[in-house]
Amino acid sequence: MRQSRLLARRLALAVAALVSIALPACGGGGGGPGPDGAGQGLQLVTFIQNGVGNLPLNEVLEFRFSEEVDAATVNVSTLQVRRGPGFGQAVPGQMAVSGSTVLFYPQLPGLCDLSDSGFQPDIQYRITLVGYPEQFPIRNSVGQPLRRTMNFEFRTRADSPSAPLWRDGIPAQQPFLVSAVNEGTLSLNGTAAVPVLDGNDMVLTFSENIDPCTVSDTTVRFFEYQRGSPTVFNVEPISGRQTGFTPAADQDTGNPFSWGPIDAGETNLFSDPQRIRAVLTLEQDFTQTRLRVTPEFGRFPENALCVLELTFGLRDLAGSSLIPVTVAFTTQNLATQTGSKTLTFEAGSPNVLGDLSTGDVNTSRSPGRAQGWMLFAGDGDNGGNQLLPSLPNQPSACTTPRQANDGVKDDLDPNADIRLDTGLSINTCNNVTDGSRAVVWEFRTMRIRAGRTVRIIGVNPAIILVQGAATVEAGGRILARGDGLGSTLTNIGTGASTNTTTGVSGGVGYSGGGGGGAAPGLNNSANYATDGASAFGSTSGYGVLGGVGAGLGGASASTSTFTNGGNSNGGGGGGHAAAGTAGGSVARSTNPFKATARGTGGAAYPAMGGDTMPTLTAGGGGGGSGANDMGTFGNGATGAGGGGGGGAVDITSSADINIFGTVDASGGRGGSGAAGFYNGSGGAGGGAGGGIRLLTPNRIDITGGVITAAGGPGGGGAQPTAGGATINNGGQGGLGRVVMEDGDSIITGQGAVTTLIPGEGQTGFYRGVFNAARFQGGGLEPQIVSDVFFCSPANPSFITAVTGDFLAELPSGASRGAGKTLMLIEARGYNLRTDGAYNSAAPTGWFTVGYFTDSGVGSAPNWVANANPPASDIAVLPSGNSGAGFSNLNTREFVQLRITFYLPNGFGPFDPGPILDQWTIRYTYDQ
């Protein structure tokens, strides 16, 4: 009983004397009391909550003073309520003064997470009452200040079942609905037709405070139960508004879910009630509790029987259930209406599906607009099998990709060693990324963890496009080496030699690298070992034996006596950025039958754009070494196979590239020669280093990394057991190329890299500012796919979009040519389900709303409605396009957008593309 009286008293004080928390500080008149002035000055008698350790969150703080308090001196500066532990954040609330009592009402929450609540659970709070000698203290009614500044503390309750956070506002009473009004004046639950206006809402007042966590669309249910005739306009006698329902006399007043018998022209269109999507806003303090129900569309549905159900799931702060109640009303019948939905492309309007989009919406470089930028890093979707490349296209006609996108962006983050296979046959179609015949993988992110190895195999160069960050962690490896050993990590060619009549094969070049030359077997008429093969990017073409960059095989030898041992020639090393060195060719025998000395190193490729490697190039293979055939005694020595050339790999990212582990495209080591008693053979040549490109407009960090395109070492020659012959080692493979381009040409960690071959100042090394000239538009046009958004009331008919509906622009330099397409806008629709959500299982196809072309005026591109661009302009429309015509979305209340931007070839990543700033979707409807 005492608690109820105390609450009533506090509420009366709040209603009678609330003082806004924002009142400025001000002082009253009168002199100070003097520190010890007996009987003078204001004193605090008690602060009731002082030292409390489990204060409810809706506790009203009460301060009792020795005499009447001047309300004008009580404000946020003189009565400070601050949150710990720093006690710097003020608590929102209101203050009330009545005579000698001051109350502080903390702000009550409208949100379930209590982020708007004055008090939070399990927090220490500090109270400061400002008094003498401060200039602006709390004063009594005659201007005398509080005798001294005082501090107090208390702590709020922790959230637990045994100690509820809240004190029951009205103990032992269920909350109930007090009133329900529209537009602040019109009582609902009556017979009057309610107006349909922009800003329609319902304001529900409750008998006490409501727990915000119980306010949801499951406890506050808003439905349309019945529709009146759209063509019959009865005038409702009470409100004077037209309605499609029968007169009120026909109403079944005992049933709020029906407006009476369904007469001619009236319809009940739904087998189940149709949910009206609405925003619920709880507004409450210590004097009243209101729930505002605002239709998401902005107005009530017209010509409808609307029913609002408040269920027992609504509870007060102490957990008592609401007395359930139903509010029913009809809305006026309007003639056919024209509505609109304006999209501003800011946060939330519309939301963008990141996994399906590659363009920018409301980003730092495209604030408040949708915009296309060059996509040099692909779309992040590599198709159904991450290990297979998606590009380039393959015959016939180069229009069929190796694997098509599956609509899901992929992340390269293997949990075991993997191989990326560029294929067994040489590409015959250029890709659309850099115009080369490299194959292309596309990922959203790349992370090669410690202990994981990605081996690139196959005959073609590899491009790995990454939309986000690309990282090789310390201990992780990407290998495109010419060692011919698959996933094995030893960097040795396959030319290990034995005495055999079958000969020895050369090392295999991977990822575009040339293969190493083979060695002849014993009793073979070949005068020379096989030359190495040329690689991708060499002027002689790929796979040509002895072509530019390929090391030549060493000469064979034969002896007819065994007084002195003999040795055959070493093979020449492969060439790339630098030429390979020659194999050894001296002291083959004192009396041999021998071929002309041979084993020349492969030549360097012509200059590649000042070492920028605009097209990926790989290393040539090393030549094999000759055999030494004893003939009569069968005691010959087989030569060795040359090392394979290093492959070519590109990692291109639109974000940062971090190489803390290994990227290795070094050439394979030449095989070592074999030896008999009187016969020896030379070592084979090493393969040339391959090509590595790291490209991003952002940042490259190679701290602690190993980045190498070193040439493979030549194999060692073998001296006969009998001695007497100089060893002919194989030639060293030439250096490959390393190209690094980022936003400012400064490579982070270059001074702290573990291995960088070639490095600064060496042939084959280049670093510079990211240059997009090598890219051909990124392999696809940037595209934006929106989330599904609620667009209109029931059964809309969409109006053909016209130029005035858009704010669109073509920045300078972004044109594909006069009259060419800049942007294509498509949409698809979804029906409204009875629960207020959209039917995701049954969308329409993508239908073209229209497209923009270059008019010659950047601020006013041409708009072509309800048509697709001609095939001569856009040969392939986006996947899933079902034709043109906005009207194909009629009757669908939910819409999803797809905007495709078309950019000119050679467009740079820093060049702004076409812009769509705003679109107003227009439609008609009539219930």
Side-chain angles (χ1 to χ4, degrees), residues 669-723:
R669 195 179 104 181
S672 298
F677 187 77
Y678 292 111
N679 305 78
S681 62
I692 297 173
R693 287 194 316 208
L694 305 177
L695 307 174
T696 175
N698 282 21
R699 187 180 73 109
I700 296 175
D701 188 344
I702 59 174
T703 304
V706 174
I707 301 171
T708 177
Q719 190 177 50
T721 304

Side-chain angles (χ1 to χ4, degrees), residues 699-758:
R699 187 180 73 109
I700 296 175
D701 188 344
I702 59 174
T703 304
V706 174
I707 301 171
T708 177
Q719 190 177 50
T721 304
T726 301
I727 296 174
N728 287 325
N729 295 325
Q732 170 88 23
L735 286 173
R737 287 187 165 90
V738 170
V739 171
M740 294 186 288
E741 296 178 6
D742 66 2
D744 57 7
S745 82
I746 299 172
I747 308 301
T748 303
Q750 186 173 342
V753 67
T754 300
T755 302
L756 181 60
I757 302 175

Side-chain angles (χ1 to χ4, degrees), residues 326-342:
T326 299
V327 177
F329 58 94
T330 60
T331 56
Q332 69 181 123
N333 186 16
L334 301 175
T336 299
Q337 299 292 296
T338 299
S340 65
K341 172 85 170 185
T342 298

Side-chain angles (χ1 to χ4, degrees), residues 428-463:
T428 58
C429 300
N430 293 338
N431 66 51
V432 292
T433 298
D434 68 349
S436 75
R437 294 186 178 180
V439 298
V440 182
W441 282 265
E442 301 180 12
F443 298 104
R444 176 170 55 185
T445 62
M446 183 188 84
R447 182 182 182 186
I448 312 303
R449 303 180 188 231
R452 305 281 187 261
T453 296
V454 176
R455 164 75 69 162
I456 301 175
I457 61 175
V459 301
N460 299 296
I463 295 175

Side-chain angles (χ1 to χ4, degrees), residues 413-434:
D413 187 1
N415 55 16
D417 291 355
I418 62 170
R419 300 183 185 188
L420 301 181
D421 192 344
T422 64
L424 297 177
S425 59
I426 300 172
N427 283 333
T428 58
C429 300
N430 293 338
N431 66 51
V432 292
T433 298
D434 68 349

Side-chain angles (χ1 to χ4, degrees), residues 96 229 241 278 349 391 400 444 455 464 497 569 648 695 778 803 897 900:
S229 170
R241 296 186 180 90
S349 177
L391 298 171
T400 305
R444 176 170 55 185
R455 164 75 69 162
I464 302 175
S497 302
N569 282 170
L695 307 174
T803 301
L897 304 181
T900 304

Side-chain angles (χ1 to χ4, degrees), residues 864-877:
V864 182
N866 289 335
N868 280 320
S872 59
D873 183 9
I874 304 298
V876 180
L877 293 171

Side-chain angles (χ1 to χ4, degrees), residues 785-809:
V785 179
S786 79
D787 202 350
V788 179
F789 57 90
F790 184 56
C791 185
S792 69
N795 299 317
S797 294
F798 292 96
I799 300 173
T800 299
V802 298
T803 301
D805 293 337
F806 296 98
L807 292 179
E809 184 178 347

